[in-house]
Amino acid sequence: MSGRGKGKTAGKKAVSKSSKAGLQFPVGRIARYLKKGRYAERIGAGAPYLAAEVLELAGNAARDNKKTRIIPRHIQLAVRNDEELSKLLAGVTIAEGGVLPNIHSVLLPKKTGKKAEA
C-alpha cells in the first residue's frame, strides 16, 4: 500500500498558482511557454513567478503611459520602481530602458512664502 499517495480530498477546490502568488498574469502558462520555448535545459520553480511578476508590473506601467504594448522602457520603470525587483536586478542594464525620471531637489526653483501685493 505504500507509495500510492493519499489521493484527492473530496470537495477540495483547485487553486491556481497565480491566485496563490496574488498575480493576475497566468503563472502556469508562463511556465509552460518557458519549458516549450527551450530557453534552457531546465527551468527552476521560481522563474515563472518572477517572469509573471515583472510582466504584470510592466503591463501596469504600459497602461499608465496609455500604451497597449510592453516595451523595454516599461520593464525598466516596473523593475526600478519595485523595491525587491530593483534589489534583485541592481547590476542589470536593460537595453533601451532609459532611466527613472528624477530631478535633484537642489535644482528645483525655490518657493517664496510671500504673495504678490496688488
Side-chain angles (χ1 to χ4, degrees), residues 5-104:
K6 295 179 181 179
K8 294 247 180 186
T9 309
K12 194 171 184 182
K13 189 87 172 168
V15 182
S16 70
K17 293 177 184 176
S18 299
S19 60
K20 283 182 185 176
L23 298 172
Q24 297 297 315
F25 234 76
V27 173
R29 191 179 303 171
I30 290 174
R32 187 176 75 235
Y33 288 159
L34 285 172
K35 288 175 189 171
K36 278 191 175 179
R38 306 296 292 166
Y39 297 106
E41 281 186 34
R42 304 189 313 176
I43 302 293
Y49 290 99
L50 190 62
E53 179 77 25
V54 170
L55 284 172
E56 186 168 326
L57 292 173
N60 294 343
R63 194 178 337 109
D64 292 344
N65 290 323
K66 299 181 180 78
K67 301 280 189 272
T68 55
R69 211 175 272 175
I70 295 173
I71 59 173
R73 174 70 178 158
H74 300 142
I75 296 171
Q76 173 82 320
L77 291 172
V79 167
R80 300 304 169 207
N81 285 324
D82 187 80
E83 187 179 333
E84 292 174 342
L85 283 175
S86 183
K87 194 172 182 182
L88 179 68
L89 302 174
V92 175
T93 302
I94 297 173
E96 295 290 320
V99 295
L100 284 181
N102 183 27
I103 301 173
H104 201 282

